C-alpha cells in the first residue's frame, strides 16, 4: 500500500514538525505533501527545512505565496499526489504508529471500495482549550458527536453498510468521520468536486463536513471496525472550531431538514 499524505499548513510553526514526523513513521507513506498557505509565523521556513531533510517530504505554495485557505490548499495537494491512496492530516494533529495497519487489511480484502475510515481521538494543548471544547460539544450534542466514537465497532460486516453511511451521518447519532482517519483512492476523487474553497463556503466554513457527507453519498466507504484511535487531533485556543460550534449546529440542522424534509440529495 502506497500512500500520499496531504497536510495544509497555515501558521502551524509550533506543531507541523510533529505532524510530519508522525507520518514519516508510517511505512505505507511514500510522500508527504506540505501545502504552505501563506503563513506569517515561520511555518514556511520549517516546511522548507523538512523538505530538505526528508526525501519523502515536499513543500508547495500557492502562486505568489498568498493565503487561499485550507480547502484550496488541500485541493492543490491532492492534484499533486503521486500515489494510489490519499490520506489527510491537519498540521496541528498527528498520527499514531498504527495509522494504516488495519486500513491496509480492509483495502486488501475489498477491492471494490473507495475509502476506509478509522477512529480519531483528541489531545488538548491547554486546560482552557479542553474546558471550552467539552462545553461546546455539550451545548451542540444534538447535531455533533465526538469524533472518537466509531461508526462501526463490531467489524465491517456487522457495522453500518456503505449504502447507509450517508443517512447515518446526516442523522448524526452514531459518530462522525474525522478527516484524519480517512484514506481514499485517488481514482475515486477524479470525477467529483473536491473541497469547496472557503471563500465560497460562508457562513459555515465547514468544508470537511460538507466534503465527508458528499463523499459518503457518492462513494463506498467502510470502517475497519477497530475502536483504537489511529490519529489525534489537537485542540488549542486558536482552533477555528472552538468559536464556530453554533454555526456547525445551524449547518447540521439545515442539512438534516434538507435531506429528510426537502427530499434533496447532495449533487
Amino acid at each position: 500500500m502506497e500512500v500520499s499524505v496531504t497536510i495544509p499548513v497555515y501558521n502551524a510553526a509550533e506543531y507541523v514538525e510533529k505532524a510530519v514526523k508522525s507520518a514519516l513513521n508510517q511505512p505505507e507513506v511514500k510522500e508527504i505533501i506540505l501545502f504552505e498557505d501563506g503563513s506569517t509565523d515561520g511555518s514556511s521556513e520549517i516546511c522548507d527545512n523538512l523538505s530538505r531533510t526528508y526525501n519523502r517530504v515536499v513543500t508547495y505554495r500557492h502562486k505568489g505565496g498568498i493565503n487561499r485557505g485550507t480547502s484550496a490548499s488541500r485541493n492543490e495537494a491532492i492534484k499533486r499526489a503521486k500515489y494510489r491512496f490519499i490520506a489527510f492530516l491537519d498540521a496541528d494533529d498527528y498520527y499514531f504508529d498504527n495509522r494504516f495497519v488495519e486500513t491496509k487489511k480492509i483495502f486488501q480484502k475489498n477491492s471494490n471500495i473507495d475509502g476506509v475510515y478509522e477512529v480519531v481521538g483528541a489531545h488538548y494543548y491547554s486546560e482552557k482549550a479542553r474546558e471550552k471544547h467539552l462545553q461546546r460539544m455539550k451545548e451542540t450534542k444534538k447535531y455533533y458527536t465526538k469524533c472518537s466514537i466509531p461508526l462501526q465497532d463490531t467489524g465491517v460486516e456487522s457495522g453500518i453498510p456503505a449504502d447507509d453511511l450517508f443517512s447515518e451521518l446526516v442523522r448524526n447519532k452514531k459518530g462522525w468521520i474525522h478527516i484524519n482517519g480517512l484514506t481514499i483512492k485517488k481514482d475515486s476523487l477524479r470525477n467529483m468536486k473536491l473541497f469547496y474553497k472557503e471563500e465560497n463556503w460562508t457562513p459555515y466554513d465547514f468544508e470537511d463536513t460538507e466534503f465527508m457527507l458528499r463523499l459518503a453519498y457518492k462513494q463506498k466507504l467502510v470502517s475497519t471496525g477497530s475502536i483504537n484511535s489511529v490519529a489525534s487531533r489537537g485542540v488549542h485556543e486558536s482552533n477555528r472550531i472552538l468559536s464556530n460550534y453554533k454555526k456547525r449546529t445551524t449547518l447540521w440542522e439545515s442539512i438534516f431538514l434538507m435531506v429528510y424534509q426537502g427530499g434533496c440529495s447532495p449533487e
Side-chain angles (χ1 to χ4, degrees), residues 2 7 9 17 41 64 78 115 126 134 157 161 210 219 243 258:
E2 296 181 325
I7 306 178
V9 182
E17 185 171 352
D41 70 339
I78 290 170
S126 72
L134 294 178
E157 290 76 18
E210 189 278 336
Q219 308 293 5
S243 60
M258 176 186 72

Side-chain angles (χ1 to χ4, degrees), residues 3-9 31-37 58-62 68-83 85-89 186 189 194-195 197:
V3 181
S4 295
V5 174
T6 62
I7 306 178
V9 182
E31 70 171 349
I32 300 165
I33 302 172
L34 300 175
F35 214 97
E36 213 296 304
D37 191 27
V58 59
T59 298
Y60 293 102
R61 294 173 175 81
H62 297 294
R68 293 186 59 204
T70 302
S71 290
S73 299
R74 280 203 174 111
N75 291 346
E76 292 298 327
I78 290 170
K79 293 175 184 176
R80 289 165 171 77
K82 298 178 181 178
Y83 294 94
F85 298 95
I86 294 176
F88 306 88
L89 184 62
K186 184 176 181 181
L189 299 175
L194 298 176
F195 294 87
K197 295 180 176 59

Side-chain angles (χ1 to χ4, degrees), residues 45-62:
E45 292 76 12
I46 293 173
C47 289
D48 287 339
N49 184 58
L50 289 167
S51 295
R52 288 191 294 267
T53 304
Y54 303 102
N55 58 15
R56 284 187 286 163
V57 181
V58 59
T59 298
Y60 293 102
R61 294 173 175 81
H62 297 294

Side-chain angles (χ1 to χ4, degrees), residues 149-160:
I149 300 175
L151 283 162
Q152 297 168 288
D153 58 9
T154 57
V156 174
E157 290 76 18
S158 57
I160 298 174

Side-chain angles (χ1 to χ4, degrees), residues 228-248:
N228 297 317
S229 299
V230 296
S232 184
R233 68 185 187 95
V235 181
H236 46 82
E237 293 172 50
S238 59
N239 280 143
R240 182 181 58 182
I241 189 63
L242 287 184
S243 60
N244 281 352
Y245 272 85
K246 289 184 179 179
K247 287 184 178 180
R248 180 181 285 277

Side-chain angles (χ1 to χ4, degrees), residues 168-217:
E168 291 294 350
L169 289 178
V170 172
R171 290 189 181 97
N172 199 20
K173 300 295 184 181
K174 297 184 179 180
W176 183 248
I177 302 174
H178 192 279
I179 194 72
N180 289 347
L182 175 70
T183 307
I184 189 82
K185 291 177 180 176
K186 184 176 181 181
D187 285 348
S188 298
L189 299 175
R190 293 190 188 280
N191 296 320
M192 64 177 288
K193 293 179 181 178
L194 298 176
F195 294 87
Y196 281 105
K197 295 180 176 59
E198 290 182 354
E199 58 266 28
N200 296 327
W201 189 238
T202 56
Y204 303 118
D205 293 332
F206 297 120
E207 63 276 6
D208 289 5
T209 300
E210 189 278 336
F211 175 75
M212 199 66 68
L213 283 168
R214 204 156 29 86
L215 199 63
Y217 182 79

